[in-house]
Structures are given as structure tokens and as C-alpha cells.
Amino acid sequence: MRIARVAVPGLEHPVFGVIDGERIDLIVGSPFIDADLNYSGVVLNLSDVRLLAPVLPSKIVCVGKNYADHAAEMGGEVPAEPVIFLKPNTTVIGDGDNIVLPTQSSNVHYEAELAVVIGALAKNVDPARADEVIFGYTCANDVTARDLQNSDGQWTRAKSFDTFCPLGPWIETELEPTSLAISTELNDETKQDGNTKDLVRTAREMVAWISQVMTLVPGDVILTGTPAGVGPMVDGDVVSVTIEDIGTLTNPVVSR
Ligand code: MG
């Protein structure tokens, strides 16, 4: 099932809906709060609504260096223990929204990542039971000011500018995440071409591992890491992240 969050002309607030081909079946309330989807009876053409970020997380937890080929291109190895960091939820934008280049950086990179969306309160989750707290999966771009990441000695500023976490275009709730092609296209040129089977720690393992550190709440998002091929984006570029069986997340890049 594909769940989107959309702006509907004439409606004051965003609503969720289930995508069925070129149509969207609107639901009442939040799929993260209500156990059963409550269909409103309103079905619209997808072309008549605007896709928004499919979730507004309370926090975004990211895994660093979780593909060996990316760790190598960054001049390092896969760490013995997972390395995680946070992006603030104010980084989130949706499909079609602009990535705004900050004036403080001259080297802003794309990072295509499989994103896990949490569906239940999760604390000390057994890896074998991770699916019980996973709502679904979406595409993410872990936009990074690479120069600031290197100069600051830690990653908070580099990862946290507004618009630095495109998510979408929707959440796929029925997905086997272990072997999916994942790619980045920059102006239609393929820049990253990986597969989630090369994740050092799987999405499920990372959900369990992170839940040993902090409580995850419904709607929280985990970015699982990026494969090799990261590189810069400049004003006027269009960047797309595509994950097999989910879809394509596309964002224009603009100067502030
Ligand atoms: Mg990343």
C-alpha cells in the first residue's frame, strides 16, 4: 500500500491518502495514530493534489558509513560499531520542493538513502521483531554540506540546514527492503547506482539497534546510509533518488 500526504485545493490542512494507480483515496486522521485506516469516501485524481513530505517525523536518525563502498570513498572503513547522527525535523521537504543551498557552504552533496518510517512506539526492539514497529519505507536524500562536515569535526551543522532532508514521494508499506536497487540521477545522469543488499547493517538491524539507544515514536524516520558515488549539486540542478518498488523523489536545487 502506498500512503501519501497531500495538499488538496480547498482544504485548509494536509490529508493522508492511499494511492491506487492515478487516483488517491483520502483517509480521515493519521495512519500513524489510527490502527485502522478510516476512508473518507473521497477519491481524487493524483494530478489534482500536491504531494507533500509523506511524514513529519519527531526526529530523523541517520546511519553513517553503512555501505562499504561509500565508507571507502570517504577515506575510511565501515566502523566496528554503527555511527548514528540526527537531522532536525525542520530539514524535511517533499517531492518537488526546492533544496536550498546555504550561503555557508560551497560543496553540498546528495546522498540517496532508503528511509524507514516507524509505526509504533519502539524501545529495546528485538531485531527479529523489527517489522512490528516498521510502518513502511520511502526514499530520502541526506543532503550534506561536505565542506562543513569536514571542517566542523562533527556533523550537526553540515546535515541540518532547512530543506536538507527530502522525503517521498510516498510511503510503501508492503516492501521487502533487503535487495532493492537505489540510485541518484543528477540532471538525468546516474551518479549513484547501488543496492540495499550491500547495506552493512540492514534496515531492520538498525531499527533494533537505535531503539536500544532512544525511544522511537510513530512517524520517526531512520535513514539507513548511502552507497558510493556522492557528489556536489549546484544551483539549477535537478536531483532524483529512485528506489526499486518505492518510486522516485525529485527536487530542484536553488541558491538561497
Ligand atoms: Mg547519509
Side-chain angles (χ1 to χ4, degrees):
M1 187 181 290
R2 287 181 169 174
I3 295 191
R5 186 171 150 270
V6 297
V8 178
L11 285 187
E12 198 171 339
H13 300 291
V15 292
F16 289 93
V18 177
I19 294 176
D20 182 14
E22 294 303 308
R23 314 266 284 171
I24 181 163
D25 204 340
L26 301 184
I27 60 176
V28 177
S30 165
F32 303 105
I33 295 170
D34 305 311
D36 296 311
L37 297 183
N38 183 10
Y39 288 93
S40 68
V42 177
V43 182
L44 300 173
N45 290 320
L46 256 187
S47 56
D48 291 334
V49 303
R50 187 165 69 86
L51 291 172
L52 305 172
V55 59
L56 295 179
S58 82
K59 58 183 173 293
I60 304 156
V61 190
C62 310
V63 188
K65 297 182 180 174
N66 200 20
Y67 289 82
D69 57 359
H70 173 63
E73 77 178 346
M74 298 297 287
E77 295 181 352
V78 173
E81 277 249 86
V83 170
I84 58 171
F85 60 92
L86 294 167
K87 287 169 95 82
N89 57 7
T90 42
T91 57
V92 171
I93 57 173
D95 183 56
D97 292 337
N98 290 336
I99 296 169
V100 180
L101 301 172
T103 54
Q104 296 94 325
S105 172
S106 57
N107 193 19
V108 174
H109 283 201
Y110 50 82
E111 293 189 358
E113 310 208 3
L114 174 69
V116 183
V117 182
I118 297 297
L121 201 70
K123 179 69 182 169
N124 296 329
V125 175
D126 185 316
R129 301 184 68 173
D131 281 350
E132 294 175 21
V133 302
I134 293 175
F135 182 82
Y137 299 86
T138 190
C139 306
N141 192 340
D142 175 18
V143 179
T144 303
R146 196 69 71 199
D147 45 358
L148 304 183
Q149 183 184 29
N150 293 330
S151 64
D152 282 2
Q154 48 93 344
W155 303 357
T156 301
R157 182 166 66 137
K159 297 282 190 177
S160 298
F161 288 97
D162 290 356
T163 76
F164 269 28
C165 192
L167 293 175
W170 41 67
I171 300 167
E172 176 59 66
T173 61
E174 287 145 50
L175 187 75
E176 176 46 55
T178 48
S179 181
L180 300 172
I182 177 169
S183 63
T184 296
E185 287 75 37
L186 189 68
N187 307 323
D188 297 325
E189 184 182 340
T190 299
K191 296 290 192 181
Q192 293 186 282
D193 186 12
N195 193 293
T196 60
K197 68 177 163 43
D198 296 320
L199 278 166
V200 178
R201 282 112 184 166
T202 67
R204 293 180 177 110
E205 286 170 344
M206 285 314 307
V207 167
W209 193 91
I210 292 166
S211 82
Q212 310 291 323
V213 179
M214 65 189 86
T215 301
L216 299 169
V217 303
D220 279 354
V221 169
I222 293 171
L223 305 194
T224 53
T226 197
V230 299
M233 304 178 288
V234 297
D235 182 32
D237 282 347
V238 176
V239 64
S240 293
V241 172
T242 299
I243 300 178
E244 185 179 3
D245 293 341
I246 300 177
T248 298
L249 167 68
T250 299
N251 299 94
V253 180
V254 302
S255 293
R256 187 152 84 186

